[in-house]
Each structure stands twice: as structure tokens, then as C-alpha cells.
Amino acid sequence: MAVTIKSEKEIELMREAGRILAIVHEELRDFIRPGISTLDVDKKGYDIIKKFGCTPSFLHYNGYPASICTSVNDEVVHGIPDKHRILQDGDIISLDAGVIYKGYQSDAARTWAVGEVSKEAKRLMEVTEQSFYEGIKYAKAGCHLYEISAAIEDYVVAHGYSCVRDLVGHGIGKELHEDPQIPNFHQKRRGLRLQPGMTLAIEPMVNIGKYDVCWLDDDWTVVTEDGTLSAHYENTVLITEGEPEILSLRN
Ligand code: MF3
Ligand code: CO
């Protein structure tokens, strides 16, 4: 599938999807606390998404059973909400959510602290978020896609962490996953030339230890092979002539 260039009308719908998704994450951040289950988080997320008249894009996507991916500690992404998984003080939880508004998608992830977390966990969350911002310095017309990939990895490695390689960011629009794939590590080629109107979900997944991951027997949950903590930060971004527009953030 070719990379799609969105019209101004489509961009307007993706702005609204992103604006709503930003609020979903803010409301979930305020909901997260020790003692609740990851299924509680999913239910809350579903309710917020519905409140805004949107559809949760992950629910039943390739058979995924929930609206919000809830990945705790060494879980990288795609954790399945579970009423028996109770959040503990000191955990970190990555929440990945997608909404569809009038046929257009937005996809974003945040990692939150549950109660008081270790210094190392805080640093991991900061480095992961900042690696996204380092990457999008190259998310503009005329740059090449893999400049984003390289900038993310350089920042993460400079801080002693590693970028997961088995999962990538992606184009997004009418579909959750469109071309191109966006790796979070150096590529041999420079990749496609970015053009205004491209919309990309850029999503570094960062491990404290090695970048290797494995899948649990549920066939969804991705965990670090060495058991170290992992964080995830993602936004849906619009390429413009100038600075990128982060659609899934407010302001
Ligand atoms: N943000 C994830 C991604 O880009 C969400 C997919 S989870 C799924 O792939 F459950 F929908 F598969
Ligand atoms: Co995504």
C-alpha cells in the first residue's frame, strides 16, 4: 500500500480524533492508582472513548480483546487487561489507545507511574518521552523517514537504554496501520522523503536492558527478555512544511 497524503478535510478529522485521544490519556492518567486492576483501566478507557462518540480502534483488531493495551513494568506493549492484575505502588504502566472519529484514526501511548516509583523508572519514562521529541525534529517535509529512526535510537543509547526492534511505528489515517513502517533504530537506507499531509504514529519502546523481547503465551503481551523495565511513548503526528503538528496532544 502506498503512503497516503491526507487532504485538509481529512486532517481536520484526524485533529479531532487526536484531540479526543489526548483527553482519553489525561483522564486515564488521573484514574491510575494503586489497587485498581488493569481491567478497570480498560473499562474506564472504553467509557471515555464512547463518551466522545468515538470507537476504540484496538477492540477486536486482529482479535485483540480490549480497548486499551495495559503493559506493566517489564511488559513492553499489548498487555491484555485483566481483573486479577492489580496495580501496585511503584509499578509503571504503559497505556496504548486508539480512537476512530468519523472514520479517521488516532493512536497514542503514555507510560505512567503508579504511586511513587524508583528514580530509574522515572528516568526511563523521561528518556522514552524525550526520544520521541528527538525523533520528530526530523519529522518535516524534505527530511527522510529513517532520520527519525536514527535520532530516536541515538538519544536512547546515549542514555544507556535500548530501543525495541521487533515492533515499529506506522502510517495512520483511515486505517490504524498504514505504510510506512517506522523503526526506532538505525537503518541502512535513508527511507522515504517526507511530504506535507503524511500522518505518522511514532512510537519508541525503550528498555532499560537489552532490546530483545519475547511474546507471552497469550500471543499478545510483549515482554523484555531480560526482565528489565520498559516504557512506551507514542503520538500521531502530521508532517507539514514546517514544524510537525502533534495531533494527539493538547496545545
Ligand atoms: N499502538 C499499537 C500499534 O500501533 C496498537 C495496536 S494494539 C492492537 O500497533 F491491539 F490493536 F493490536
Ligand atoms: Co501505534
Tab-separated table of all heavy atoms in Angstrom, residues 58 96 107 168-170 176-177 201 203 232 234, ligand 2:
chain	number	residue	atom	x	y	z
A	58	PHE	N	-8.689	-0.444	18.903
A	58	PHE	CA	-7.982	-1.701	19.175
A	58	PHE	C	-8.947	-2.854	19.446
A	58	PHE	O	-8.570	-4.012	19.264
A	58	PHE	CB	-7.044	-1.564	20.395
A	58	PHE	CG	-5.964	-0.531	20.247
A	58	PHE	CD1	-5.156	-0.202	21.321
A	58	PHE	CD2	-5.738	0.115	19.032
A	58	PHE	CE1	-4.143	0.744	21.198
A	58	PHE	CE2	-4.736	1.073	18.907
A	58	PHE	CZ	-3.934	1.386	19.998
A	96	ASP	N	-1.694	2.146	25.854
A	96	ASP	CA	-1.741	2.434	24.427
A	96	ASP	C	-3.214	2.447	24.050
A	96	ASP	O	-3.961	1.535	24.425
A	96	ASP	CB	-0.971	1.348	23.674
A	96	ASP	CG	-0.684	1.720	22.233
A	96	ASP	OD1	-1.259	2.704	21.732
A	96	ASP	OD2	0.114	1.001	21.610
A	107	ASP	N	-3.717	7.371	17.283
A	107	ASP	CA	-3.067	6.317	18.069
A	107	ASP	C	-2.020	6.998	18.956
A	107	ASP	O	-1.218	7.809	18.457
A	107	ASP	CB	-2.419	5.339	17.068
A	107	ASP	CG	-1.750	4.132	17.703
A	107	ASP	OD1	-1.858	3.958	18.927
A	107	ASP	OD2	-1.114	3.371	16.944
A	168	VAL	N	7.339	-1.611	15.435
A	168	VAL	CA	7.666	-0.339	14.778
A	168	VAL	C	6.471	0.615	14.812
A	168	VAL	O	5.333	0.189	15.025
A	168	VAL	CB	8.066	-0.586	13.301
A	168	VAL	CG1	9.353	-1.398	13.224
A	168	VAL	CG2	6.941	-1.282	12.529
A	169	GLY	N	6.732	1.890	14.568
A	169	GLY	CA	5.669	2.859	14.319
A	169	GLY	C	5.160	2.680	12.892
A	169	GLY	O	5.635	1.813	12.150
A	170	HIS	N	4.219	3.546	12.506
A	170	HIS	CA	3.483	3.287	11.264
A	170	HIS	C	2.747	4.524	10.766
A	170	HIS	O	2.412	5.402	11.562
A	170	HIS	CB	2.460	2.167	11.523
A	170	HIS	CG	1.635	2.393	12.769
A	170	HIS	ND1	0.416	3.007	12.738
A	170	HIS	CD2	1.893	2.144	14.078
A	170	HIS	CE1	-0.046	3.097	13.977
A	170	HIS	NE2	0.829	2.590	14.820
A	176	LEU	N	-5.629	1.951	11.003
A	176	LEU	CA	-4.720	2.089	12.148
A	176	LEU	C	-3.275	1.924	11.693
A	176	LEU	O	-2.390	2.670	12.121
A	176	LEU	CB	-5.076	1.038	13.206
A	176	LEU	CG	-4.130	0.902	14.397
A	176	LEU	CD1	-4.029	2.207	15.184
A	176	LEU	CD2	-4.598	-0.228	15.318
A	177	HIS	N	-3.045	0.942	10.848
A	177	HIS	CA	-1.690	0.682	10.375
A	177	HIS	C	-1.621	0.882	8.876
A	177	HIS	O	-2.166	0.098	8.103
A	177	HIS	CB	-1.250	-0.751	10.725
A	177	HIS	CG	-1.109	-0.967	12.188
A	177	HIS	ND1	-1.567	-2.086	12.828
A	177	HIS	CD2	-0.570	-0.191	13.148
A	177	HIS	CE1	-1.303	-1.996	14.125
A	177	HIS	NE2	-0.708	-0.843	14.351
A	201	ALA	N	2.348	7.559	13.085
A	201	ALA	CA	2.346	7.218	14.512
A	201	ALA	C	3.769	6.818	14.874
A	201	ALA	O	4.262	5.778	14.428
A	201	ALA	CB	1.361	6.091	14.799
A	203	GLU	N	6.450	5.836	17.686
A	203	GLU	CA	6.253	5.202	18.987
A	203	GLU	C	7.460	4.440	19.516
A	203	GLU	O	7.495	3.223	19.476
A	203	GLU	CB	5.030	4.289	18.956
A	203	GLU	CG	4.911	3.308	17.809
A	203	GLU	CD	3.652	2.449	17.951
A	203	GLU	OE1	3.335	2.021	19.071
A	203	GLU	OE2	2.994	2.205	16.932
A	232	HIS	N	6.903	3.179	26.913
A	232	HIS	CA	6.377	3.396	25.555
A	232	HIS	C	5.800	4.803	25.500
A	232	HIS	O	5.099	5.220	26.422
A	232	HIS	CB	5.266	2.359	25.310
A	232	HIS	CG	4.693	2.332	23.927
A	232	HIS	ND1	3.467	1.753	23.671
A	232	HIS	CD2	5.157	2.784	22.731
A	232	HIS	CE1	3.208	1.849	22.372
A	232	HIS	NE2	4.217	2.468	21.773
A	234	GLU	N	4.018	7.414	22.456
A	234	GLU	CA	3.579	7.483	21.052
A	234	GLU	C	2.615	8.634	20.841
A	234	GLU	O	1.770	8.910	21.682
A	234	GLU	CB	2.839	6.176	20.685
A	234	GLU	CG	2.185	6.188	19.302
A	234	GLU	CD	1.417	4.899	18.981
A	234	GLU	OE1	0.909	4.254	19.929
A	234	GLU	OE2	1.315	4.564	17.793
B	2	CO	CO	0.810	2.646	17.047
